[in-house]
Amino acid sequence: MKTKTLVAALMVCVAQLAHGQASELARPDAATESRLKGLAEELRCLVCQNQTIADSSAPLAHDLRNQIREQIAGGRSDSDIRDYMVERYGDFVLYRPPLRPTTVLLWVGPFALLLVGAGVFGYAVRRRRVATQDALSPERRVALEALLEESDGAAAPGSMKKGART
Amino acid sequence: MKWMRFTVPLVLFLLLVGFFVVGLERDPREVPSPFIGKAAPAFTLTQLHDEKLVFGPADMKGKVWMLNVWASWCVSCRVEHPLLVEMARRKVVPIVGLNYKDKREDGVQWLAKFGNPYDLSAFDVEGRVGIDYGVYGVPETFVIDKMGVVRHKQIGPITPESLEKIILPLIQKLNA
């Protein structure tokens, strides 16, 4: 009994979904739809800000998709349609914002951070290299080698002794 | 050089905190409107209460006015509604409604129930004028000057604070 109601509820849901999409797919036209898809995937839905107009099921996204379809049918170019959206909703609708004085930081910031990171890395590496070179100045190297040779010679007879000394 | 070990991370940390404080204070839903300082887009729509009458922004030339986007299905419209009714009662400024994607009888009923602060409401059943005005979160309110230029856009309900601090002083300035 329970499963029956569940199935019935599911069917109602599916029917409603199909109904919701019917109005959108009333004019299936492959060329228009593929252009629409390309455009809508780069436009932000302002009602649900982290979705594109292509993904969103918000009523406004639906209206805007229809608006884009109409404009495509009216022979307007992709950049015309993008301008139309920017005129109304601002640069924020574009997922790929244009380079402007207000968006310079957005475009240049990551590269600037990368440069700073590379600088810090280079500085650290150089410092470490200088530190290791310091530790092995020519006189100390000679002294160290002498010590090592001496210990090798002394340790030769018994390995126990060597272990103890190092 | 030793002091750098502590001050550099500390300065970076404080900088980060500064960014967070500013970022948290901002409302990401408030997108700067590209309409400010531009002419309010023209349209012609029938009126909510009488489909034989039409309205266009040109009818308001020479007046400072408010265009308030509302709908009977919009819950937060109810929040700001008493403020609009009060503004209308005091005749601060003519308020024109844009009834957005609504049914005519629902809109009329809603106004009968909660009070009608509008000189008239334009009936935008398809939401096309809404798109032309970049509406994405009803209610929205535009303050438009005597030349028909949009001077302010409030996204979301008007609050006593926004009314007092921004809208009323602006209207006063524009009327002066």
Side-chain angles (χ1 to χ4, degrees):
Chain A
M1 196 52 212
K2 243 185 186 171
T3 41
K4 249 188 185 170
T5 25
L6 201 68
V7 167
L10 255 172
M11 279 170 78
V12 169
C13 284
V14 170
Q16 268 179 344
L17 270 176
H19 176 76
Q21 278 172 353
S23 60
E24 282 236 31
L25 299 174
R27 287 164 285 174
D29 162 11
T32 305
E33 291 306 307
S34 83
R35 264 186 73 192
L36 167 71
K37 199 163 169 268
L39 273 164
E41 272 174 356
E42 288 206 4
L43 294 169
R44 187 190 308 271
C45 167
L46 279 109
V47 179
C48 32
Q49 296 188 347
N50 292 322
Q51 277 186 309
T52 63
I53 286 175
D55 293 335
S56 175
S57 57
L60 181 64
H62 173 108
D63 288 354
L64 288 176
R65 282 194 294 266
N66 277 336
Q67 187 70 39
I68 294 172
R69 278 195 192 97
E70 264 173 43
Q71 297 201 13
I72 290 173
R76 301 188 67 184
S77 74
D78 284 9
S79 70
D80 283 347
I81 296 172
R82 240 174 262 134
D83 288 347
Y84 172 91
M85 293 293 170
V86 171
E87 247 171 58
R88 281 157 184 76
Y89 301 100
D91 287 340
F92 191 63
V93 284
L94 301 175
Y95 265 106
R96 227 185 292 200
L99 187 58
R100 279 177 207 218
T102 46
T103 57
V104 164
L105 198 64
L106 198 66
W107 281 100
V108 178
F111 299 105
L113 279 177
L114 190 70
L115 270 178
V116 168
V120 169
F121 180 72
Y123 176 71
V125 165
R126 188 170 309 159
R127 255 182 69 165
R128 185 162 299 178
R129 192 174 294 155
V130 169
T132 39
Q133 273 169 359
D134 268 0
L136 282 176
S137 64
E139 305 95 71
R140 292 196 71 181
R141 187 185 289 265
V142 170
L144 186 69
E145 270 164 14
L147 262 172
L148 278 170
E149 234 161 75
E150 188 190 301
S151 72
D152 274 358
S159 54
M160 283 284 284
K161 223 176 170 186
K162 183 187 174 189
R165 208 192 283 182
T166 49
Chain B
M1 283 305 262
K2 210 168 184 186
W3 58 273
M4 264 180 68
R5 269 202 175 176
F6 301 100
T7 41
V8 169
L10 187 69
V11 166
L12 286 177
F13 173 72
L14 289 178
L15 205 70
L16 207 62
V17 168
F19 272 114
F20 284 152
V21 166
V22 173
L24 282 171
E25 289 281 310
R26 286 182 154 190
D27 181 359
R29 297 201 64 86
E30 243 168 66
V31 179
S33 172
F35 289 100
I36 309 298
K38 286 193 193 146
F43 62 82
T44 310
L45 285 176
T46 63
Q47 296 187 11
L48 176 70
H49 284 93
D50 188 346
E51 53 188 307
K52 279 174 233 116
L53 293 177
V54 292
F55 171 79
D59 300 351
M60 301 301 285
K61 269 262 157 76
K63 285 184 204 160
V64 178
W65 59 294
M66 267 179 24
L67 181 70
N68 176 254
V69 186
W70 67 280
S72 67
W73 47 262
C74 156
V75 180
S76 30
C77 293
R78 270 186 224 186
V79 177
E80 69 168 13
H81 203 68
L83 287 172
L84 291 174
V85 171
E86 181 62 22
M87 275 179 94
R89 202 182 59 79
R90 289 197 214 163
K91 296 195 169 29
V92 179
V93 73
I95 307 170
V96 173
L98 182 70
N99 184 233
Y100 178 68
K101 299 191 77 166
D102 211 345
K103 283 186 193 127
R104 210 180 271 274
E105 60 270 27
D106 290 354
V108 170
Q109 239 170 46
W110 195 84
L111 287 182
K113 196 166 164 195
F114 297 106
N116 184 357
Y118 306 112
D119 288 25
L120 64 100
S121 276
F123 183 59
D124 184 23
V125 65
E126 285 175 77
R128 274 167 195 277
V129 172
I131 289 178
D132 277 344
Y133 275 77
V135 170
Y136 62 89
V138 191
E140 291 190 12
T141 306
F142 296 80
V143 178
I144 299 168
D145 72 10
K146 291 175 186 170
M147 307 295 292
V149 174
V150 177
R151 290 309 193 94
H152 177 70
K153 180 185 181 190
Q154 165 97 24
I155 295 157
I158 296 172
T159 60
E161 200 193 4
S162 69
L163 194 63
E164 205 111 314
K165 284 194 180 152
I166 301 165
I167 296 175
L168 289 179
L170 178 65
I171 288 171
Q172 220 163 28
K173 204 184 95 192
L174 293 176
N175 265 327

